[in-house]
Amino acid sequence: MKIKVFYDREKKEREIELSANSSVEALLEKMKINPEIVIVSRNKDIILKEEKLRDNDSIRLTSVISGG
Amino acid sequence: MNCCDSKPIIELGAGRLCKQHFTEYFEGKVFRTIRQFNLIEKEEHIGIALSGGKDSLTLLHLLKKLSMENPKIRLSALAINEGIHGYRDKTLITAREFCEKNDIPLYIHSFEDEFGMSLDDALKVLDVKPCTICGIFRRYLLNKKSKELKFTKLATGHNLDDECQSIMMNQFKNNIGASARLGPKTGIKESDKFIPRIKPLYLCTEKEVALYAMINSLLDDFNECPNVSKSYRAQVRDMLNDFEKDNHGTKYAIVNSFLQVLPDLKDRFKDVELNSCTECNEPSSKDKCNACRFAEKLRKARLTAEQ
C-alpha cells in the first residue's frame, strides 16, 4: 500500500510503500525516524505506534524537536 | 493499558492517556514541580523568557492559569530577538499574538540594540559557533533586563530533555561546576546580581510539552533554530533519543539521579567568587564578563570588515 507522509522537519511530502496492514511503527522504521521525536497524526487525529495504516492514508509527522 | 474508553494520544510508562487525562497529568506534573521545589511564592512578579516556541508558550499558558487563581502573582513576558532571519521573526509574531490574547505585557530586546549587530550579521564577521555567542548574549540580556523590569524570578521553558542534555554535556566536557548551576531553580547561591531562574517544566519531556502545545493549539508550527543542527547539544540530544527508544525511562533516570547529587554539588561550589564586570557591572567570574568580551570582538571584527 502507498502512504502519503508529510514530515514537518523535511518540509515536504513523500510517498512511502508499505505492505498491507502495516502499523505506524513499521512506517517510522522504514523512514528511519525515531518514534521518540515525532507525534503522528492522520486527518488531525493523533495515532500511536500500533495503529494500522490504510492504503492512501495521509499521515503527518510533527517533530517535537524545536527551539534552539 | 488505556486510561479510559477515549482514544489514547500518548503512551507513557504507566499506560496510555487520552486527551483529557493527558492534560490533567501534564498540568498536574507542572504544578507539583512548582510546589515540590518551591519555585513560586505567594506574591511574585514572574518574568517568562518567551521565545514564541512550544516550551515558553506552554509555560506562559500554565503560569497564566496559576496567576488567575493567585492574583498576587504578576506575569510579564521577556523576549530576546537574536536576529535569526526566517526563525526568530516568525516565533516573535506568535509570542506577540499570544501575549495580546492573554493580556500579558511583552518586552522585546534585540542583540542589535544591545550589541550593535544581529546574530546573523555577527556570524559573518566572527569565527565562532552560533550557539556559543547566542547563549552568552541571550543569558546576559535576560538577566540584565529582568533586573531592570524588577522581576522577582525569571521562568524559562527548559524541559527534562534540555536538562538531561546539559547534564550529559557537562559530564562529557569535564565541566562539573556548570552542573552545580543546573536544577529546577538555577544558580548555586542567592545573589543580588542574578534574578533567580526557575524551570516549571523541569520534569516534562520534550514530547509531552509538544503534545500539550499541540492539543491546546498554542502554536501552528514547531520551528527549529537553523543553527541547532551544527551544535554539540544536537549530537547529545540525538544520542539520548536513540538510547531512550530502546531503553524507556533513561532520561528520567538521568535527571532524577542528578537531583539526588545536586545539593552536594551546590555545596561543593558554593564558595566560588562572583565579581562584577568592570565594564557593565553584570555578574562575572573574571574582570570582564563574556558578553563584554564578545561585544568587543564584534566591534573590532566589524571595523576590520568595514576597512
Side-chain angles (χ1 to χ4, degrees):
Chain A
M1 59 178 174
K2 288 189 177 148
I3 310 290
K4 292 191 217 60
V5 184
F6 179 81
Y7 184 19
D8 64 354
R9 232 175 161 200
E10 292 175 354
K11 292 181 177 34
K12 64 178 183 188
E13 188 172 90
R14 284 161 62 176
E15 200 170 75
I16 307 289
E17 271 204 54
L18 291 171
S19 40
N21 222 32
S22 290
S23 65
V24 165
E25 191 170 15
L27 173 69
L28 295 179
E29 233 172 84
K30 179 133 191 199
M31 293 181 74
K32 295 189 180 15
I33 292 173
N34 186 340
E36 292 293 316
I37 69 165
V38 289
I39 295 169
V40 185
S41 51
R42 174 173 55 197
N43 302 328
K44 299 194 177 180
D45 285 334
I46 294 168
I47 52 177
L48 300 183
K49 62 180 185 204
E50 56 283 318
E51 183 85 11
K52 297 293 181 199
L53 298 171
R54 302 181 285 263
D55 192 27
N56 281 322
D57 262 347
S58 277
I59 300 294
R60 182 182 174 98
L61 304 181
T62 303
S63 170
V64 306
I65 293 173
S66 63
Chain B
M1 197 172 82
N2 291 356
C3 58
C4 64
D5 291 335
S6 298
K7 189 155 188 190
I9 60 167
I10 189 168
E11 180 160 10
L12 300 171
R16 294 187 202 134
L17 299 179
C18 67
K19 182 176 171 177
Q20 183 196 328
H21 286 121
F22 170 71
T23 298
E24 285 169 13
Y25 154 85
F26 184 87
E27 291 181 358
K29 184 152 68 164
V30 174
F31 295 134
R32 270 195 311 277
T33 300
I34 290 171
R35 282 195 305 273
Q36 181 183 349
F37 297 104
N38 298 317
L39 299 184
I40 297 176
E41 313 275 345
K42 287 191 178 124
E43 194 165 343
E44 297 254 30
H45 179 194
I46 306 277
I48 290 98
L50 186 66
S51 64
K54 67 176 192 306
D55 300 291
S56 58
L57 286 175
T58 295
L59 176 63
L60 187 50
H61 176 78
L62 288 172
L63 290 186
K64 173 79 182 177
K65 282 191 179 213
L66 186 74
S67 75
M68 281 168 72
E69 291 180 20
N70 298 275
K72 288 187 179 178
I73 296 171
R74 191 157 67 99
L75 300 180
S76 295
L78 172 59
I80 304 298
N81 182 1
E82 307 93 342
I84 304 171
H85 180 66
Y87 170 65
R88 186 56 75 217
D89 36 9
K90 283 184 189 173
T91 66
L92 282 179
I93 291 171
T94 309
R96 277 194 190 94
E97 285 171 359
F98 193 92
C99 286
E100 267 169 36
K101 189 176 157 190
N102 288 278
D103 198 29
I104 292 167
L106 171 63
Y107 303 92
I108 302 177
H109 297 280
S110 69
F111 279 15
E112 187 144 9
D113 285 343
E114 186 77 19
F115 306 111
M117 227 182 227
S118 68
L119 181 67
D120 283 350
D121 289 338
L123 293 173
K124 289 174 192 164
V125 297
L126 272 184
D127 181 22
V128 67
K129 286 185 182 156
C131 297
T132 301
I133 189 170
C134 184
I136 286 168
F137 280 175
R138 187 152 34 94
R139 283 190 293 273
Y140 170 91
L141 270 180
L142 282 173
N143 192 55
K144 183 179 170 186
K145 296 302 172 188
S146 292
K147 284 190 286 191
E148 286 174 15
L149 293 165
K150 296 185 175 17
F151 297 158
T152 52
K153 301 232 174 76
L154 179 69
T156 64
H158 289 96
N159 55 51
L160 186 112
D161 284 60
D162 295 318
E163 188 80 346
C164 205
Q165 290 156 25
S166 295
I167 293 164
M168 299 311 293
M169 284 163 68
N170 290 337
Q171 290 288 130
F172 291 166
K173 296 214 166 193
N174 191 22
N175 192 4
I176 209 74
S179 282
R181 295 193 292 272
L182 296 176
K185 212 186 260 184
T186 60
I188 297 170
K189 55 185 178 182
E190 284 187 18
S191 161
D192 57 6
K193 296 184 172 83
F194 279 116
I195 297 295
R197 290 191 190 187
I198 58 172
K199 301 172 189 167
L201 304 182
Y202 191 80
L203 294 177
C204 302
T205 66
E206 184 159 36
K207 190 162 187 174
E208 288 172 347
V209 178
L211 187 61
Y212 184 85
M214 189 186 263
I215 62 176
N216 285 282
S217 304
L218 299 182
L219 68 173
D220 296 323
D221 291 306
F222 295 170
N223 294 300
E224 190 177 8
C225 176
N227 295 317
V228 155
S229 60
K230 307 171 186 101
S231 71
Y232 184 70
R233 181 176 282 275
Q235 290 180 68
V236 173
R237 176 199 69 204
D238 292 344
M239 177 203 77
L240 283 167
N241 279 325
D242 285 342
F243 201 81
E244 180 77 28
K245 178 177 166 245
D246 297 322
N247 302 279
H248 286 295
T250 296
K251 291 184 223 173
Y252 272 113
I254 289 172
V255 170
N256 281 317
S257 57
F258 174 74
L259 283 172
Q260 291 177 58
V261 301
L262 185 57
D264 295 317
L265 265 182
K266 287 190 189 285
D267 189 61
R268 181 175 160 182
F269 288 95
K270 69 180 186 293
D271 294 326
V272 168
E273 218 174 303
L274 192 61
N275 303 311
S276 296
C277 172
T278 50
E279 269 198 35
C280 67
N281 212 37
E282 284 297 299
S284 175
S285 55
K286 302 167 196 147
D287 283 346
K288 208 184 244 189
C289 71
N290 284 332
C292 284
R293 283 195 307 112
F294 270 102
E296 188 180 335
K297 280 187 186 179
L298 206 54
R299 277 192 297 272
K300 285 181 178 166
R302 206 165 68 177
L303 276 171
T304 308
E306 282 168 4
Q307 279 163 4

